[in-house]
Amino acid sequence: MLSRKISSDSHGQDSSYFLGWMEFEKNPYDEAKNPNGIIQMGLAENQLSFDLLESWLADNPDAIGLMRSNGESVFKELALFQDYHGLSAFKNELVEFMAKLRGNKVKFDPNKLVLTAGATSANETLMFCLADPGDAFLLPTPYYPGFDRDLKWRTGVEIVPIHCSSSNGFRITSSALEDAYLQAQDQGLKVKGVLITNPSNPLGTTVTRGELDLLIDFAVAKEIHIVSDEIYSGTVFDDDEPSFVSIAEAVNERDLGGASEAVRTRVHIVYSLSKDLGVPGFRVGMIYSEDEEVVSAATKMSSFGLISSQTQYTLSRMLSDEKFMRKYVGENRKRLKKRKEMLVSGLKGAGIKCLESNACLYCWVDMRVLLRSNTFEAEKELWKRVVYEVGLNISPGSSCHCSEPGWFRMCFANMSEETLHVAIERLNAFAESIKKENVKPNNKQLSSLLVRNYSRTRSLTRWVVQLGSDDHRETDR
Ligand SMILES: Cc1ncc(COP(=O)(O)O)c(C=O)c1O
């Protein structure tokens, strides 16, 4: 009775990435109301600088009250506005903001910008513009689990993995690119492009200039597109090498001879305010492309997911406040760095290492020391224990299509410092118990160890009691 599309499971909702969210929703941690609940570490949300946004809004009530600074109402104008090109004032502010995040090394033209309802919509729209059903895009692994939905589900486009390995910090290599290309050909798929996230989700690292050059050479040789999702570009908190280099800058600086113009039109940038400004609910995303046809088609498609004019108005007022934005970006970076360091040093105590990172809202954590064996079954087993016994929703590497078992993404910016502290203590206790026993401890053994190590922590003690309960064991599937 229903369409094949909705009857298929290609959405990816059954991945452990989304399953962990469902478990969290059933039993969310709350320091006061539910201290034994699950802490959400699977959500790349930035709440660290919300106070700055709120204080700006308190100082500028007319921006949300839909008034001009002279007190004149823009309510009617905005309520009637329905042009899918978006408010030009907003687009002008956005391109300025994007240029500033890239140290003004690149300039963006507002006429080449398409507004979309978040980066989710931007990525899908680009797939509709660049590929036909059955064509392939190559993606370095590990990659953001949402891409299975965003790039493939409705478009019919296929993802072919570029397998990256921990041996070189998951960097993209020329042989990995060639292997992926061959794999696609073996599967009878026409490769239309490579899609990267820079900075990377889930690695939390910026893509090096060497990797960008490699990608550009590859795209020139194969005559394919490059899509660079730069949604985390404003979160780079360490500018030591490798600093953030946008694909726009890398392409501009290359002397590509006769191929130059063609390559430029095959490079497309995706961006959004969901992470850098921490406003995913506002659904503000965009595509930037030098290809006029792509801009024109994507603009028509944006009718299916426009940003409300009210949101555009309020944010254009905020972005135009240069002094505030400079302060926001600087302070946000500082806070992210502090949080990341808190997680890294907290896990170090338990002998758990993180991939060295310089951006984003999470760490890519090496938990191979806790695996029973070097398999994805063991990773899944560990993941289940961390969700149900330890009470942390973290994202296993397998949900990010990582080719090596034992890696997990842990988010640190969607919670208070106190909650992150509880999460670290829980993980430390768990790691300690596994190491001491060197076998899977039962809940009773784990509880007694935890009580011995951490009975001083009130919330943790309450959580340990929960571990021993029969109700909990029943949910431990
Ligand atoms: C790399 C990447 N692209 C796109 C998205 C979706 O962002 P948006 O909320 O703007 O749709 C996310 C969200 O986590 C992401 O990490």
Side-chain angles (χ1 to χ4, degrees):
M1 289 293 279
L2 301 175
S3 74
R4 277 196 295 277
K5 180 78 60 199
I6 71 154
S7 314
S8 79
D9 60 3
S10 55
H11 174 271
Q13 189 81 38
D14 54 354
S15 117
S16 40
Y17 176 71
F18 291 113
L19 291 181
W21 284 14
M22 277 151 63
E23 287 312 312
F24 161 75
E25 271 155 25
K26 284 186 216 159
N27 181 23
Y29 171 83
D30 182 284
E31 192 186 352
K33 294 192 205 116
N34 188 19
N36 303 324
I38 297 177
I39 297 175
Q40 173 62 297
M41 299 187 88
L43 180 61
E45 193 175 74
N46 183 6
Q47 294 185 18
L48 297 194
S49 303
F50 225 76
D51 57 315
L52 302 181
L53 299 183
E54 281 170 336
S55 77
W56 186 86
L57 285 173
D59 292 345
N60 297 274
D62 46 342
I64 208 141
L66 307 184
M67 311 274 234
R68 289 205 170 87
S69 28
N70 63 7
E72 197 185 310
S73 171
V74 282
F75 173 75
K76 189 171 177 191
E77 202 178 299
L78 294 177
L80 294 175
F81 183 81
Q82 52 175 310
D83 179 350
Y84 58 26
H85 290 94
L87 292 177
S88 50
F90 183 51
K91 291 168 88 173
N92 291 339
E93 294 304 338
L94 271 177
V95 291
E96 288 291 316
F97 182 59
M98 286 169 70
K100 278 188 200 122
L101 290 180
R102 288 155 185 79
N104 287 316
K105 288 180 190 149
V106 271
K107 261 187 102 57
F108 295 103
D109 175 352
N111 296 315
K112 296 173 180 172
L113 185 89
V114 181
L115 296 177
T116 59
T120 301
S121 172
N123 279 314
E124 189 194 52
T125 300
L126 268 178
M127 290 303 111
F128 276 122
C129 292
L130 307 178
D132 288 308
D135 287 345
F137 258 76
L138 310 182
L139 266 71
T141 64
Y143 65 77
Y144 162 54
F147 281 150
D148 290 323
R149 170 199 60 201
D150 306 350
L151 308 182
K152 287 166 63 174
W153 188 40
R154 301 198 299 185
T155 64
V157 169
E158 298 293 337
I159 293 176
V160 174
I162 302 165
H163 291 292
C164 300
S165 118
S166 62
S167 61
N168 68 346
F170 297 96
R171 296 281 168 207
I172 302 165
T173 62
S174 153
S175 60
L177 280 170
E178 290 296 343
D179 286 351
Y181 194 84
L182 282 178
Q183 192 200 324
Q185 282 186 325
D186 285 351
Q187 290 172 237
L189 303 171
K190 184 172 179 193
V191 176
K192 297 304 287 287
V194 182
L195 184 146
I196 56 163
T197 55
N198 182 22
S200 161
N201 184 359
L203 300 176
T205 53
T206 46
V207 178
T208 63
R209 192 177 281 271
E211 287 173 286
L212 294 174
D213 281 339
L214 206 61
L215 285 166
I216 293 167
D217 290 337
F218 185 71
V220 171
K222 309 288 189 207
E223 299 189 350
I224 57 174
H225 296 273
I226 299 178
V227 175
S228 180
D229 179 335
E230 301 184 355
I231 189 171
Y232 293 99
S233 48
T235 67
V236 184
F237 45 74
D238 263 331
D239 254 344
D240 308 337
E241 282 304 307
S243 64
F244 171 64
V245 181
S246 167
I247 190 73
E249 184 187 340
V251 168
N252 282 352
E253 290 182 4
R254 285 289 300 273
D255 178 7
L256 296 164
S260 193
E261 201 41 44
V263 175
R264 236 179 279 285
T265 57
R266 292 204 305 268
V267 168
H268 318 276
I269 295 176
V270 166
Y271 185 55
S272 148
L273 296 182
S274 296
K275 313 294 177 182
D276 291 355
L277 217 54
V279 290
F282 281 2
R283 309 308 305 139
V284 180
M286 70 216 66
I287 296 166
Y288 189 86
S289 175
E290 298 278 347
D291 186 321
E292 277 177 32
E293 257 184 278
V294 170
V295 172
S296 162
T299 305
K300 288 179 202 143
M301 284 186 200
S302 72
S303 294
F304 297 104
L306 294 171
I307 309 169
S308 88
S309 47
Q310 195 177 356
T311 300
Q312 293 184 50
Y313 180 75
T314 302
L315 291 179
S316 69
R317 292 282 305 274
M318 186 182 279
L319 292 175
S320 71
D321 186 341
E322 272 191 52
K323 196 168 154 219
F324 169 74
M325 288 312 299
R326 210 175 20 254
K327 176 178 158 201
Y328 177 89
V329 172
E331 183 61 29
N332 185 46
R333 283 178 173 152
K334 256 193 242 159
R335 293 181 188 186
L336 287 170
K337 182 176 168 130
K338 188 171 163 226
R339 270 311 174 85
K340 175 236 156 172
E341 283 168 357
M342 186 178 159
L343 181 59
V344 171
S345 67
L347 294 179
K348 210 175 181 179
I352 299 173
K353 288 193 190 127
C354 300
L355 182 77
E356 213 166 296
S357 64
N358 61 345
C360 300
L361 316 173
Y362 37 76
C363 285
W364 185 238
V365 184
D366 181 357
M367 304 245 283
R368 286 177 293 183
V369 283
L370 303 183
L371 286 185
R372 194 176 40 79
S373 64
N374 188 30
T375 61
F376 283 106
E377 288 75 51
E379 178 184 286
K380 193 163 188 182
E381 189 184 299
L382 178 63
W383 173 70
K384 280 187 178 173
R385 295 195 66 196
V386 173
V387 174
Y388 296 112
E389 292 177 24
V390 187
L392 304 177
N393 177 38
I394 60 177
S395 308
S398 55
S399 69
C400 305
H401 302 267
C402 185
S403 15
E404 295 169 32
W407 293 84
F408 289 80
R409 192 190 74 169
M410 288 188 205
C411 298
F412 53 69
N414 60 322
M415 63 189 81
S416 68
E417 213 166 288
E418 292 72 31
T419 304
L420 183 58
H421 200 69
V422 174
I424 291 170
E425 286 209 320
R426 286 183 182 186
L427 256 176
N428 276 347
F430 178 65
E432 196 62 24
S433 75
I434 288 203
K435 272 191 251 152
K436 279 206 177 122
E437 304 298 319
N438 207 17
V439 284
K440 180 181 172 185
N442 61 35
N443 282 346
K444 214 168 146 208
Q445 289 169 320
L446 180 58
S447 300
S448 71
L449 267 164
L450 290 166
V451 170
R452 223 171 37 237
N453 291 338
Y454 292 100
S455 56
R456 68 181 185 280
T457 314
R458 205 169 49 107
S459 59
L460 193 72
T461 311
R462 269 187 257 145
W463 163 69
V464 169
V465 173
Q466 157 102 3
L467 275 181
S469 84
D470 286 346
D471 285 0
H472 187 81
R473 233 171 279 137
E474 271 161 29
T475 61
D476 188 5
R477 338 179 208 123

Coordinates of all heavy atoms in Angstrom, one line a residue, residues 17 44 117-121 123 144 147 149-150 197 201 229 231-232 272-275 280 283-285 362 409, ligand 1:
Y17 N 23.7 4.7 16.5 CA 23.7 6.1 16.8 C 22.4 6.6 17.2 O 22.2 7.3 18.2 CB 24.2 6.8 15.5 CG 24.2 8.3 15.5 CD1 25.2 9.0 16.2 CD2 23.3 9.0 14.7 CE1 25.3 10.3 16.1 CE2 23.4 10.4 14.6 CZ 24.3 11.0 15.4 OH 24.4 12.4 15.3
A44 N 25.9 16.2 19.2 CA 26.8 17.2 18.9 C 26.1 18.6 19.0 O 25.8 19.2 17.9 CB 27.5 17.0 17.6
A117 N 17.2 24.7 5.0 CA 16.8 24.5 6.4 C 17.8 23.6 7.0 O 17.6 22.4 7.2 CB 15.4 23.8 6.4
G118 N 18.9 24.2 7.4 CA 20.0 23.4 8.0 C 21.0 22.8 7.0 O 20.7 22.8 5.8
A119 N 22.1 22.3 7.5 CA 23.0 21.6 6.7 C 22.5 20.3 6.2 O 22.9 19.8 5.1 CB 24.4 21.4 7.4
T120 N 21.5 19.7 6.9 CA 20.9 18.4 6.5 C 20.3 18.6 5.1 O 20.5 17.8 4.2 CB 19.8 18.1 7.5 OG1 20.4 17.9 8.8 CG2 19.1 16.8 7.2
S121 N 19.5 19.7 5.0 CA 18.8 19.9 3.8 C 19.9 20.4 2.7 O 19.7 20.0 1.5 CB 17.8 21.1 4.0 OG 17.3 21.5 2.8
N123 N 23.0 19.4 2.3 CA 23.7 18.2 1.8 C 22.8 17.4 0.9 O 23.2 16.9 -0.2 CB 24.2 17.3 3.0 CG 25.5 17.8 3.5 OD1 26.4 18.2 2.8 ND2 25.6 17.9 4.9
Y144 N 30.1 11.1 9.7 CA 28.8 11.4 10.5 C 27.7 10.5 10.1 O 27.3 10.4 8.9 CB 28.5 12.9 10.1 CG 27.1 13.4 10.4 CD1 26.6 13.3 11.7 CD2 26.4 14.1 9.4 CE1 25.3 13.8 11.9 CE2 25.1 14.6 9.7 CZ 24.6 14.4 10.9 OH 23.3 14.9 11.2
F147 N 24.7 11.1 7.6 CA 24.9 11.1 6.1 C 24.2 10.0 5.4 O 23.8 10.1 4.2 CB 26.4 11.1 5.7 CG 27.1 12.4 5.9 CD1 28.4 12.5 6.2 CD2 26.3 13.6 5.7 CE1 29.0 13.8 6.4 CE2 27.0 14.9 5.9 CZ 28.3 14.9 6.2
R149 N 21.3 9.0 6.0 CA 20.0 9.6 5.8 C 20.0 10.7 4.8 O 19.3 10.7 3.8 CB 19.4 10.0 7.1 CG 18.1 10.8 7.0 CD 17.9 11.6 8.3 NE 19.0 12.5 8.6 CZ 19.3 13.0 9.8 NH1 18.6 12.7 10.8 NH2 20.3 13.9 9.9
D150 N 20.9 11.7 5.1 CA 20.9 12.9 4.3 C 21.4 12.8 2.9 O 20.8 13.4 2.0 CB 21.9 14.0 5.0 CG 21.6 14.2 6.4 OD1 20.5 13.7 6.9 OD2 22.4 14.8 7.1
T197 N 34.0 16.3 5.7 CA 33.6 17.2 6.7 C 34.9 17.9 7.2 O 35.8 17.1 7.5 CB 32.8 16.6 7.8 OG1 33.6 15.5 8.4 CG2 31.5 16.1 7.4
N201 N 33.6 15.5 11.4 CA 32.7 14.8 12.3 C 32.9 13.3 11.9 O 32.6 13.0 10.8 CB 31.3 15.3 12.1 CG 30.3 14.6 13.1 OD1 30.7 13.7 13.9 ND2 29.0 14.9 13.0
D229 N 31.7 19.9 3.8 CA 30.7 20.3 4.8 C 31.6 21.0 5.9 O 32.3 20.3 6.6 CB 30.0 19.1 5.3 CG 29.0 19.4 6.4 OD1 29.2 20.4 7.1 OD2 28.1 18.6 6.6
I231 N 30.5 22.8 8.5 CA 29.6 23.2 9.6 C 30.3 23.5 10.9 O 29.8 24.2 11.7 CB 28.5 22.1 9.7 CG1 27.4 22.5 10.7 CG2 29.1 20.8 10.2 CD1 26.2 21.6 10.7
Y232 N 31.5 22.9 11.1 CA 32.2 23.2 12.4 C 33.3 24.2 12.3 O 34.2 24.3 13.1 CB 32.8 21.8 12.9 CG 31.7 20.8 13.3 CD1 31.4 19.8 12.5 CD2 31.1 20.9 14.6 CE1 30.4 18.9 12.9 CE2 30.1 20.0 14.9 CZ 29.8 19.0 14.1 OH 28.8 18.1 14.5
S272 N 26.3 25.9 8.1 CA 25.1 26.0 8.9 C 25.4 26.7 10.2 O 26.6 26.8 10.6 CB 24.6 24.6 9.2 OG 23.9 24.5 10.5
L273 N 24.4 27.3 10.9 CA 24.7 28.0 12.2 C 24.4 27.0 13.3 O 24.5 27.4 14.5 CB 23.9 29.3 12.3 CG 24.2 30.4 11.2 CD1 23.4 31.6 11.5 CD2 25.7 30.7 11.3
S274 N 24.1 25.8 13.0 CA 23.7 24.8 14.1 C 24.8 24.6 15.1 O 24.5 24.5 16.3 CB 23.3 23.5 13.5 OG 22.2 23.6 12.7
K275 N 26.0 24.6 14.7 CA 27.1 24.2 15.6 C 27.9 25.5 16.1 O 28.1 25.7 17.3 CB 28.1 23.3 15.0 CG 27.5 22.1 14.2 CD 26.8 21.1 15.1 CE 26.1 20.1 14.3 NZ 25.3 19.1 15.2
P280 N 20.7 24.9 16.5 CA 20.2 24.0 15.5 C 18.6 24.0 15.3 O 18.1 23.7 14.2 CB 20.6 22.6 16.1 CG 20.8 22.8 17.5 CD 21.3 24.3 17.6
R283 N 17.3 26.1 12.3 CA 17.4 25.5 11.0 C 18.0 26.5 9.9 O 17.3 26.8 8.9 CB 16.0 25.0 10.4 CG 15.2 24.1 11.4 CD 16.0 22.9 11.9 NE 16.6 22.0 10.9 CZ 17.9 21.6 11.0 NH1 18.7 21.8 12.1 NH2 18.4 20.8 10.1
V284 N 19.2 26.9 10.2 CA 19.8 27.8 9.2 C 21.0 27.1 8.6 O 22.0 26.9 9.2 CB 20.3 29.1 10.0 CG1 21.0 30.0 9.0 CG2 19.1 29.8 10.6
G285 N 20.9 26.8 7.3 CA 22.0 26.2 6.6 C 22.1 26.8 5.2 O 21.3 27.7 4.9
Y362 N 33.2 17.3 20.3 CA 33.4 15.9 20.7 C 34.8 15.5 20.6 O 35.6 16.2 19.9 CB 32.5 15.0 19.9 CG 32.4 15.4 18.4 CD1 33.5 15.2 17.6 CD2 31.3 16.2 17.9 CE1 33.5 15.6 16.3 CE2 31.3 16.6 16.6 CZ 32.4 16.3 15.8 OH 32.4 16.8 14.5
R409 N 32.6 8.1 19.6 CA 32.6 9.5 19.7 C 31.9 10.0 20.9 O 30.8 9.5 21.3 CB 31.8 10.1 18.5 CG 31.9 11.6 18.3 CD 31.0 12.2 17.3 NE 29.6 12.2 17.8 CZ 28.6 12.8 17.2 NH1 28.8 13.5 16.0 NH2 27.4 12.8 17.7
Ligands
LIG1 C1 28.9 17.1 9.6 C2 27.5 17.5 9.8 N1 26.7 17.9 8.7 C3 25.4 18.3 8.9 C4 24.8 18.2 10.1 C5 23.4 18.6 10.2 O1 23.3 20.0 10.7 P1 22.0 20.8 10.7 O2 21.5 20.9 12.1 O3 22.4 22.2 10.3 O4 21.0 20.3 9.8 C6 25.5 17.8 11.2 C7 24.9 17.7 12.5 O5 25.4 17.0 13.5 C8 26.9 17.4 11.1 O6 27.6 17.1 12.1

